[in-house]
Amino acid sequence: MKLAHCTPWPEVDAARYRAQGHWTGQSFAELLTEITQRHGERTAVVAGDTRWSYRQFEAQTLRLARGFAAIGIEAGERVVVQLPNRAEFLAVIFGLWRFGALPVFALPAHRRLEISYFCHHTEAAAYITTDLHAGFDYRQLAHEVRAEAPSLRHVLIAGEPGSFTALSALPQVGALPLPPDAGEVAFLQLSGGSTGTPKLIPRTHDDYLYSVRESARICGLTPETVFLCVLPAAHNFALSSPGLLGVLYAGGTVVLSESAAPEQVFPLIARERVTMTAVVPPLVPVWLAAAASRRTELATLRLLQVGGARFDDTLARRVEPELGARLQQVFGMAEGLVNYTRLDDPPDLVAQTQGRPISLDDEIRIVDDEDQAVPEGEVGHLLTRGPYTIRGYYKADAHNARAFTTEGFYRTGDRVRRLPSGHLVVEGRTKDQINRGGEKVSAEEMEHLLMAHSNVVDAALVAMPDVHLGERSCAFVIRRDAQLRAAALLQFVRAQGVAAFKVPDRIEFVDELPKTAVGKVDKKLLRQRITEQLVGLSTAIPS
C-alpha cells in the first residue's frame, strides 16, 4: 500500500539504485527473519532486567504484530510511538513493520503540543507510550492527546495501563498479513524543524536499510559488537548511524539505557562489556571528567561516536587518551545524508572534520546564495541527493518547494566546506534554528508561542553560546505591560504543552527589535548583542 502525500524518487533514479545493489528489496520484517535464522541464540537486546536472544526478540515482535492486527490496526495506518529506551521500543516498531503499519517516531521529551500535532497531521490510528518515565506520567498526556485527536482508535501503554490498554494484554487471534513491499514507506521520522512544528520525513524500507547496511560496514560492526544506546532510541543517530538497527543487522547486542549519566552508564559498560556507544558533544566533557577516576570501567569500550552538533576539535583530541576509545565523528540528518570519519582516517581528520558521505552516489553540492557552486574549499550551503535522501516531506507541498531544488537536491540548511579528501567541515547553520546540544529548536515555533501571550507585542528567538551545549536559546521580547516578568512568561510557554528543551533559556525584554535594511528582524545583531552581554558578565565575575 503506497502512502499518499509522499514524493517518490524518480523512476530512473530508483532503477539505478536497484541495479547498483543499493536497494535490495528487503523489508524490515524480512531482515529480522534473516538475522534470527543466523544468530538465533545470541543476545540481541538488553534493557534493565530484560535480556532477549534474537529468537526471543522475534517472538516478542510477532506477538505484538498479532495483537496490533487483532485490534484492527491495518497496513499503511500510522501509529505514533513515544517510548523511552526500553526493550518495548524495538519490539513495537518491528511488530508494526511486520505487517506494514507505520511508526511515527516521537521523543520522550515531547508533550501535548507536539504529540497532538503528530496524531492529527498523520491521522494516526493509535498512540503507543509508556506509563511513567523520568517522573512524568504519560498516561495523563495520553488523555489530553486523545481528546484532541479524533482519528485515534487506540491508546496502548507499555507498563501499567491505567484506563488504557496494556501492550502485554493485546489479544492473540487471527493470521498476520504478508510483510510490506520494501519500496513502501516504512515510518515517519521527525525533522529538526526550522519552520514551526517539525516536518515529517517518509523513509522506505529500501532506502533506510541501505543506509543501515553501509553504516554497519563503515563502522566495522560484527556479531561481537555490543552497542550502548544512551541517546533517545527514536533519534536518527541512535537508530541507524549505525545505531540500534546497524548493530542488529550485524548480529551484535544492543544495550539500552534510560540515563546517560556516568554513574549509571559506566558500570553498565563494564557489566555488559560494551564496545561502542554514541553521544552528543555536551556529554563528552561530563564523561571525560568522570573517567579520570573510573577509567577501569571503560576497558572494553573501543569506539565513541560523537554527532548531533559541531564537536570542538580540542575536546575531540582528548577522547582517545582519556577514554581509551577511538573517536568517530558523525554528521547527518534524518532526511538522509550521513557522513562518517573513517576508522583508518588520520587523527587530524578525525578531530577537525565531520566525515565524508556513506555512498559514492551521495551527490554533494556546495553553493552560494544564488545556488552557484562556490570554489572548492570555500564555505557554502550544503545541498544533497542520493539513494537514501528523501525527495520531499510528508504532506508539505509548500515547504517542499523551498526545501528542495527542481532537480531534487535537498537544502540541508548547513554551511560547510569540503576538503580535497571529501571530508566535510560544518561551519554553521543557515536555517533559523538553535542546536541545543543536538536538540533542534525552531525559532519560529517558539516566537509564535511567546506572542500568544496577551502582554507580548513581538518576540525573536536567537542562539547564544554555551560552553556545555554549544548553543542555548535567548528570546528578545517586546512587552505591552512592564509588569510582565520572565518567570511568568516562561510558565506560560510551558503551559502550552511544549517539550522542555524548546522553552527559552533566557528572556531579554527590549523596547524594540533591530531591523535589517529590508525590514526583517536583525537576528545577527541580536546574537551579537547577547554574546557580548554574556562575555561582559563572565569578565565581571571575580575568579
Side-chain angles (χ1 to χ4, degrees), residues 9 28 78 87 157 169 203 232 242 271 303 309 330 367 394 414-415 456 473 485 512 520 539:
W9 280 264
F28 282 104
R78 280 71 64 202
I157 303 294
R203 301 297 298 264
R271 188 186 79 199
L303 184 66
V330 184
V367 302
Y394 175 69
D414 294 292
R415 289 176 57 79
V456 172
S473 61
R485 295 290 181 263
E512 61 180 3
K520 293 185 177 181
T539 56

Side-chain angles (χ1 to χ4, degrees), residues 44 46-48 85 221 224-233 237-239 242-244 247 252-262 264-279 283 287 297-298 300-305:
V46 177
N85 287 13
L221 305 190
E224 306 306 318
T225 299
V226 181
F227 173 70
L228 174 64
C229 181
V230 297
L231 301 177
F237 183 17
L239 190 63
L244 310 171
V247 174
T253 300
V254 169
V255 180
L256 293 157
S257 173
E258 295 185 43
S259 171
Q264 273 81 49
V265 167
F266 284 15
L268 191 56
I269 291 173
R271 188 186 79 199
E272 300 299 334
R273 302 189 63 79
V274 168
T275 62
M276 70 174 291
T277 190
V279 299
L283 277 176
W287 282 25
E297 293 175 302
L298 307 180
T300 61
L301 191 63
R302 296 288 176 263
L303 184 66
L304 180 76
Q305 292 184 306

